[in-house]
Amino acid sequence: MRVRDLLAPGAPGLRLLAAEEELDRQVSGVMTTDLQDPGRYLHGGELVLTGMLWRTVPADSERFVRTLAAGGAVALAAGQAEVGPVPEDLVEACRRHRMPLLVVADDVAFGTVTEFVGRQLSADRAADLAALVDRHRLLVSAAGGGGLDAVLDLLGGDLDLDCWVLTPTGTVIAGPADRLPAQDRDQLVRTHLAAQRQRRRPPHRARLAAGSYSLLPAPAPVPGSEPTPAPTPAPAPATASVPASAEPDAPPADCPLADWVLVVAGDVTEWATKRQQLAENLARLVAAERHRRDEGRRLRRRLADEVLALLRRDADPAEISRSLYASSAMAARYEAPGRKSPARDDSWLVLSAEGTGLPEGTVRAVLEEALGGTDDRALIAGTGTGAVVVLPALDGPVPADTLRELLAPLEAGLGPDDRITLGVSAPASGAGGLRGALEEARHARRIAASRTGRVCVAGPEELASHVLLLAAVPDEVRRAFRGRLLDKVIAYDTEHQADLVRTLEAFLRSDGSWTRCAAQLHVHVNTLRYRIGRIEELTGRDLSRLEDRVDFYLALELA
């Protein structure tokens, strides 16, 4: 009920003295008091009934009303039976603090007012409960039809409750994106990931300039199991349905870095029990939708792993091209209205990613959420603790800074020893260029791994020219070149527990300086000269010659 309902026909005899503009405040209960400082007993939303016995001097009115306002009381009703008419100083204090001031008629008992408010609140709660039951039914219907957006539109229009579903990188899956700025989304997902890493019990709470928000996880269920009891989602397409045991590199069961998060405007811990159940049921619906979406990704995971296997064994480009374009599920997507079918000479980017300290499958799941909206032809293959992405090239190369910014929120969910490093290739023309692009992306990832930070990205612009050259060399040529220069040196190290390979690397890094190299290795210069001489004897090369130094450097880079 609202304060104005206390003045409606049929209400107890009350008369308004101040703050007419605040009559739409919601009343949640009644408190009767004549304490000078009742603040400790206020919880917010109360109509305060008082006989004004606390007032001895005019200054008492200001202090009493200020306490009520600070405690969240919504109105003050004063009885005149004991001390006479309401004093003007109390009226002025209520005006200053915008506190509605009502006068209780002499023939109306405080108990009558309390009983009236109780009846109104009981009726409101009964109506709210009936509405919740009906809305639950509508939520089930919406989840089976229009998806999450239909559910959130229903809540926003019917309950004036703003909700969003976000990925761990802040991308909006559902909800009014224009009402949640990017910087707010970033802060919300960081708060959620940090709380999940610390294993705090949800819902997590965040307070931004725009207000308070509640954050509830919507994790992907364990492969092969159903999500926690929730309305049954629409079945996955038959083409994407495979046995759970056949799913390649399935996401780990506990993967907060890849979980969706349900954002609800307000603090759900302060809501009534039935309304809290509504939020919990919504989180279950989101988890069910996540489960349905993951079921649809199984075919794409299998196709991505097939393409990666072909690249690893340096298969014929025509075979790789067939794997990229032959899938009927992918072809159906290309035939969407307004979309051109892909050409055989399309340009592609390759991303190589690796996770440190993370369970197998985590990086793949993270990139599926982060890059899933970039292009629906993106293929993300798992490599145990890492992943390889084959992504259609955009109008220009994907800058490393863009990916770094996209993945930055994940830092909040990584432990002190956890890392994600990622390398990006230059665009490769057609399937024939993917093998070289994969090598280029791996080299870029090594550069990213050499840096400090929990999420590091390097692009092709950071690669030296010789790395670009090596990436295009066929595997058999690379192996033969490295073997001719280093096989005997490696065999000698293995047989004699020597340190020739490391000595060679240090010598080349020191630009052939005997003193700097010896200091770096903590050995005498004569020891260094002996080792370098042994390398030259084994290989027939002369490390005083620039050409031979370059050859050794390239062979080591091919490791």
Side-chain angles (χ1 to χ4, degrees), residues 234-254:
T239 56
S241 178
V242 297
S245 59
E247 185 177 2
D249 194 26
D254 183 14

Side-chain angles (χ1 to χ4, degrees), residues 205-536:
R205 285 166 288 180
R207 185 160 191 84
L208 307 181
S212 297
Y213 297 88
S214 298
L215 312 172
L216 295 91
V222 178
S225 69
E226 293 301 320
T228 52
T232 304
T239 56
S241 178
V242 297
S245 59
E247 185 177 2
D249 194 26
D254 183 14
C255 187
L257 289 174
D259 289 346
W260 289 354
V261 53
L262 171 63
V263 178
V264 181
D267 187 347
V268 301
T269 63
E270 297 179 354
W271 292 358
T273 302
K274 293 298 181 181
R275 197 173 175 91
Q276 288 183 11
Q277 290 176 356
L278 179 64
E280 292 167 1
N281 285 346
L282 179 57
R284 293 190 182 97
L285 283 174
V286 174
E289 176 65 16
R290 170 73 186 275
H291 179 70
R292 186 200 64 77
R293 198 283 318 272
D294 280 356
E295 287 288 307
R297 276 183 171 170
R298 289 185 175 184
L299 180 61
R300 299 190 59 75
R301 289 189 182 121
R302 178 181 295 170
L303 180 60
D305 288 344
E306 177 184 334
V307 170
L308 178 59
L310 293 173
L311 292 176
R312 281 174 165 170
R313 64 181 176 86
D314 203 16
D316 184 87
E319 189 177 358
I320 298 174
S321 182
R322 283 194 296 271
S323 292
L324 286 173
Y325 297 99
S327 167
S328 58
M330 292 178 69
R333 288 186 175 225
Y334 297 147
E335 293 167 4
R339 158 157 288 188
K340 293 174 59 180
S341 297
R344 292 278 172 169
D345 59 352
D346 270 359
S347 292
W348 301 83
L349 295 172
V350 177
L351 281 61
S352 175
E354 185 64 32
T356 302
L358 301 174
E360 290 192 7
T362 297
V363 172
R364 180 186 206 170
V366 165
L367 292 179
E368 283 179 336
E369 295 304 331
L371 302 176
T374 304
D375 193 292
D376 56 14
R377 289 178 290 169
L379 297 176
I380 304 174
T383 60
T385 58
V388 171
V389 182
V390 178
L391 180 72
L394 307 178
D395 293 337
V398 174
D401 288 344
T402 301
L403 286 171
R404 191 179 300 110
E405 182 178 350
L406 176 65
L407 299 176
L410 298 176
E411 293 178 349
L414 293 172
D417 298 323
D418 300 340
R419 299 188 73 204
I420 295 177
T421 54
L422 192 144
V424 188
S425 76
S429 179
L434 287 178
R435 183 68 179 84
L438 176 58
E439 288 300 310
E440 186 177 311
R442 285 173 172 166
H443 282 296
R445 196 203 63 76
R446 292 190 188 104
I447 293 176
S450 67
R451 296 171 176 163
T452 58
R454 295 182 182 177
V455 177
C456 297
V457 185
E461 66 279 358
E462 301 180 63
L463 295 175
S465 58
H466 74 274
V467 176
L468 294 176
L469 178 63
L470 293 177
V473 175
D475 277 353
E476 61 272 15
V477 177
R478 294 153 60 91
R479 288 192 293 269
F481 179 78
R482 173 177 166 78
R484 280 197 299 270
L485 276 103
L486 297 180
D487 278 359
K488 291 183 178 180
V489 179
I490 294 172
Y492 186 90
D493 274 352
T494 302
E495 181 179 353
H496 299 280
Q497 288 77 49
D499 208 9
L500 298 186
V501 173
R502 190 169 75 92
T503 300
L504 176 60
E505 292 175 338
F507 186 72
L508 295 175
R509 283 197 304 268
S510 302
D511 297 326
S513 169
W514 298 99
T515 55
R516 289 206 309 271
C517 183
Q520 180 180 338
L521 294 173
H522 304 291
V523 299
H524 194 275
V525 172
N526 289 340
T527 302
L528 176 61
R529 290 185 184 277
Y530 172 80
R531 292 180 182 179
I532 295 298
R534 177 60 65 185
I535 293 171
E536 291 176 335

Side-chain angles (χ1 to χ4, degrees), residues 15-22 50 52 54-55 57-66 68 76-80 84-104:
R15 180 167 51 91
L16 180 67
L17 292 184
E20 181 180 1
E21 69 279 5
E22 300 293 336
T50 181
M52 299 185 291
W54 45 264
R55 181 185 178 278
V57 296
D60 292 341
S61 295
E62 170 65 23
R63 182 173 59 252
F64 185 79
V65 175
R66 184 171 62 244
L68 298 187
L76 173 63
Q80 305 178 115
V86 175
E88 187 62 29
D89 50 84
L90 180 56
V91 176
E92 289 300 322
C94 287
R95 285 173 180 161
R96 281 193 299 272
H97 292 279
R98 303 173 67 87
M99 177 67 63
L101 175 59
L102 308 171
V103 177
V104 183

Side-chain angles (χ1 to χ4, degrees), residues 531-550:
R531 292 180 182 179
I532 295 298
R534 177 60 65 185
I535 293 171
E536 291 176 335
E537 290 176 8
L538 292 169
T539 62
R541 298 299 187 105
D542 182 358
L543 278 164
S544 66
R545 298 178 65 248
L546 176 63
E547 294 88 341
D548 287 343
R549 289 185 188 177
V550 170

